Amino acid sequence: MVDAECGGMAMMRALIVDDSRVLRMYLGKMLRLMGWKTEEAENGRCALERLREDRGFQLALMDVNMPEMGGVECVHRLRSELPELDMKLMMVTTEADFPLMEEMLASGVDEYLVKPFTHENLQAKLRLMSLPMRV
């Protein structure tokens, strides 16, 4: 789904899911600079509710550790309850544990970005997922 055109690039939508308001703002600013429209959810439960209502997102960036519902459970539920949902999932977390990364990738996560990260790290991950961006 395309909302608008932005500098010749279709406006893509991302849902930022993290319990840290500061990190949601930081990621949102980075993505908006790359031409994305962003929305936020403070945990996996809120994200799941949002994605049940609106399936027009192309990307969700999700933390692993959050209150109420963490990223791992949210990803499992998204992929099982909404299999028709055509969007990329990226974990953005301090968890650099290789077995967890393998589990997440096997459960339907497309990429994994470890905090702290730079604008260039995020751009590289978007490129790996073949997602558009203004640079």
Side-chain angles (χ1 to χ4, degrees):
M1 174 186 285
V2 177
D3 287 338
E5 287 290 322
C6 183
M9 182 186 96
M11 182 66 79
M12 302 290 281
R13 294 175 62 214
L15 182 63
I16 302 167
V17 186
D18 200 295
D19 56 320
S20 167
R21 185 178 63 81
V22 171
L23 188 70
R24 291 192 312 264
M25 290 172 46
Y26 179 65
L27 270 170
K29 183 176 181 180
M30 281 186 185
L31 286 167
R32 286 188 299 277
L33 287 171
M34 290 185 252
W36 286 75
K37 181 178 178 184
T38 63
E39 293 184 34
E40 300 177 6
E42 62 189 32
N43 59 51
R45 183 189 54 75
C46 294
L48 199 54
E49 288 173 10
R50 183 73 182 112
L51 293 167
R52 284 181 181 132
E53 296 168 3
D54 183 350
R55 300 185 186 187
F57 291 90
Q58 289 73 39
L59 172 66
L61 300 101
M62 192 170 308
D63 190 13
V64 170
N65 299 309
M66 296 178 284
E68 294 190 48
M69 181 188 295
V72 175
E73 181 182 352
C74 186
V75 166
H76 287 293
R77 291 187 59 184
L78 276 173
R79 294 303 193 204
S80 66
E81 295 175 21
L82 301 170
E84 73 284 356
L85 192 63
D86 184 27
M87 68 181 239
K88 302 287 187 182
L89 292 173
M90 182 190 310
M91 299 309 286
V92 182
T93 180
T94 57
E95 299 287 335
D97 180 59
F98 189 71
L100 178 62
M101 287 183 202
E102 284 184 316
E103 175 192 348
M104 297 302 338
L105 293 170
S107 69
V109 169
D110 298 287
E111 272 303 329
Y112 206 94
L113 182 61
V114 178
K115 300 173 193 174
F117 57 88
T118 65
H119 186 84
E120 291 77 19
N121 299 140
L122 180 58
Q123 283 182 325
K125 294 296 184 173
L126 293 175
R127 277 190 201 97
L128 285 171
M129 292 187 294
S130 300
L131 291 170
M133 71 191 102
R134 263 193 333 237
V135 281

